[in-house]
Amino acid sequence: MTRSSLIRRILVYAVMTCTALLTIAPFLLIISTSLKTTDEINIYGPLSLPHVVHWDNYSRIWEVGKFLTYYKNSVIVTAVVVLFVIVFSLLGAYPFAYMKFRAKGIFFLIVLWGLTIPLDLIIIPLFNNLKSMGLLNTIWSLILPQIAMSIPFAIFLLRGFMKDIPNALLESARMDGSTEMKNLYYIIMPMLYAPLVSLIVFTAIGTWNNFMLPTILIQNDHLRTLPVGLNYFQTKFTMNYPMIATAAIVSALPAAITYIVFQRNILSGAMVGALKE
C-alpha cells in the first residue's frame, strides 16, 4: 500500500468515525438523561454522566400521568390503520395491475395525485368535515384520515410489484376456475412478502409518530396518543427532562425494533419496487 492510499484510507475512516459519533451522540444523551433525576441535571449539567443510575424511571413512566393510556391509544390507532391500508391497497393495486377498464389511466393519476397533497393543506377542511360528521374528538378522527393518506403510496408501491408478476399465472388460474379474489390471495400475496413488509413498517412508523392530527383533532386527554402525551411532563414553569427522555425512549422502541428486524426487507422492497415502475 502506497503512502497516499494509506493517508486516504485514514481520512475516510476518520470521517466515517466522526459521522458515526455525531449520529449516535443524541441517542446516548437521551439515554443518559433518562437515567438521571432533575436535581442531577440542574447540579451537574445535562451532558454529565449519571452519578447514580435510576433504572426506576422506566417503571415510574407507566405510573406517571396517563402514559399507559397514551401507549394503548397509539397501539390501537396504528394497528387499525395498518390493517385497513394493507387490505384496501391490495384491493386497489390489483385492478390497476391486471384488469382492464375504462379510464384506468385517469383513475391511477388521481391516486398518484394523493401523493402530492400535504397534510397542512387539507387540515382545515378535514377538521370541518370530521366535525360535521360527528367524528371530531373520537378515535376514528385519527384512524380514517391516516388510512386515506397512506393508501396512494401503498397502491403505487404494490402495483409496481404486481406488474412484474407474469400475467400467465393468473390466466392459467382463471382457466381452472379461480376467481380474482382467489388469484389475489393465493397467487399474488405470497409473492409480495418484501413490499408488504416495507409497507407495514412505513405505515406503522408514520402513524405511530404522527403529531399534527392528534394535536388538532383530539381534545379529550384519554384519546391522545404518545407524541402528544409527552407534553404531559411539561408544566408552565419547568420540564421533567428525565421523564420526557424516558418516555421518548419507550415510545420509540417499537418503531426502532421493527425497523431493525425488517431492515433487509424494507430496503429491498422499497428499492426494487421503485425500479419496477
Side-chain angles (χ1 to χ4, degrees), residues 15 18-19 29 34 44 55 60 66 73 79 85 100 102 107 120-121 143 178 222 228 231 243 263 272:
V15 172
C18 292
T19 304
L29 179 61
S34 70
Y44 302 107
W55 292 108
R60 285 180 55 214
K66 302 180 179 66
N73 292 338
V85 167
K100 296 181 180 180
R102 184 174 299 178
F107 283 116
D120 309 54
L121 187 65
I143 292 174
S178 177
H222 293 279
V228 181
N231 288 332
M243 287 292 98
Q263 181 180 9
V272 177

Side-chain angles (χ1 to χ4, degrees), residues 58-70:
Y58 286 89
S59 59
R60 285 180 55 214
I61 195 68
W62 300 100
E63 304 167 1
V64 177
K66 302 180 179 66
F67 188 79
L68 183 60
T69 301
Y70 301 147

Side-chain angles (χ1 to χ4, degrees), residues 13-74:
Y13 278 107
V15 172
M16 293 174 62
T17 303
C18 292
T19 304
L21 290 175
L22 290 174
T23 304
I24 297 174
F27 298 99
L28 296 179
L29 179 61
I30 294 176
I31 295 173
S32 174
T33 303
S34 70
L35 300 175
K36 300 177 186 177
T37 62
T38 305
D39 293 336
E40 280 188 73
I41 296 176
N42 294 332
I43 295 173
Y44 302 107
L47 299 180
S48 63
L49 294 175
H51 286 67
V52 178
V53 178
H54 293 273
W55 292 108
D56 57 309
N57 286 345
Y58 286 89
S59 59
R60 285 180 55 214
I61 195 68
W62 300 100
E63 304 167 1
V64 177
K66 302 180 179 66
F67 188 79
L68 183 60
T69 301
Y70 301 147
Y71 210 94
K72 181 185 69 175
N73 292 338
S74 290

Side-chain angles (χ1 to χ4, degrees), residues 36-183:
K36 300 177 186 177
T37 62
T38 305
D39 293 336
E40 280 188 73
I41 296 176
N42 294 332
I43 295 173
Y44 302 107
L47 299 180
S48 63
L49 294 175
H51 286 67
V52 178
V53 178
H54 293 273
W55 292 108
D56 57 309
N57 286 345
Y58 286 89
S59 59
R60 285 180 55 214
I61 195 68
W62 300 100
E63 304 167 1
V64 177
K66 302 180 179 66
F67 188 79
L68 183 60
T69 301
Y70 301 147
Y71 210 94
K72 181 185 69 175
N73 292 338
S74 290
V75 170
I76 293 174
V77 171
T78 302
V80 175
V81 170
V82 169
L83 176 63
F84 279 95
V85 167
I86 293 299
V87 173
F88 291 156
S89 60
L90 283 171
L91 295 177
Y94 184 86
F96 285 123
Y98 297 113
M99 301 176 69
K100 296 181 180 180
F101 52 91
R102 184 174 299 178
K104 175 180 174 180
I106 296 176
F107 283 116
F108 187 65
L109 286 176
I110 294 174
V111 172
L112 293 182
W113 187 40
L115 293 172
T116 66
I117 302 176
L119 178 60
D120 309 54
L121 187 65
I122 62 172
I123 190 63
I124 295 178
L126 178 63
F127 181 92
N128 292 328
N129 288 337
L130 291 173
K131 183 178 180 180
S132 64
M133 291 186 292
L135 296 177
L136 194 64
N137 203 32
T138 66
I139 199 73
W140 290 105
S141 65
L142 300 180
I143 292 174
L144 295 178
Q146 294 188 87
I147 292 174
M149 290 184 296
S150 301
I151 284 178
F153 171 75
I155 291 178
F156 173 76
L157 179 68
L158 296 182
R159 173 183 173 272
F161 273 89
M162 288 182 181
K163 287 181 69 68
D164 196 59
I165 299 175
N167 197 31
L169 293 174
L170 302 181
E171 293 294 339
S172 300
R174 293 188 186 103
M175 293 178 63
D176 292 335
S178 177
T179 62
E180 300 297 338
M181 287 300 299
K182 288 182 178 180
N183 289 347

Side-chain angles (χ1 to χ4, degrees), residues 197 200-202 204-205 252-263 266:
V197 170
I200 290 171
V201 174
F202 290 148
I205 292 177
L253 274 179
I257 293 173
T258 302
Y259 184 84
I260 292 172
V261 172
F262 297 105
Q263 181 180 9
I266 294 171

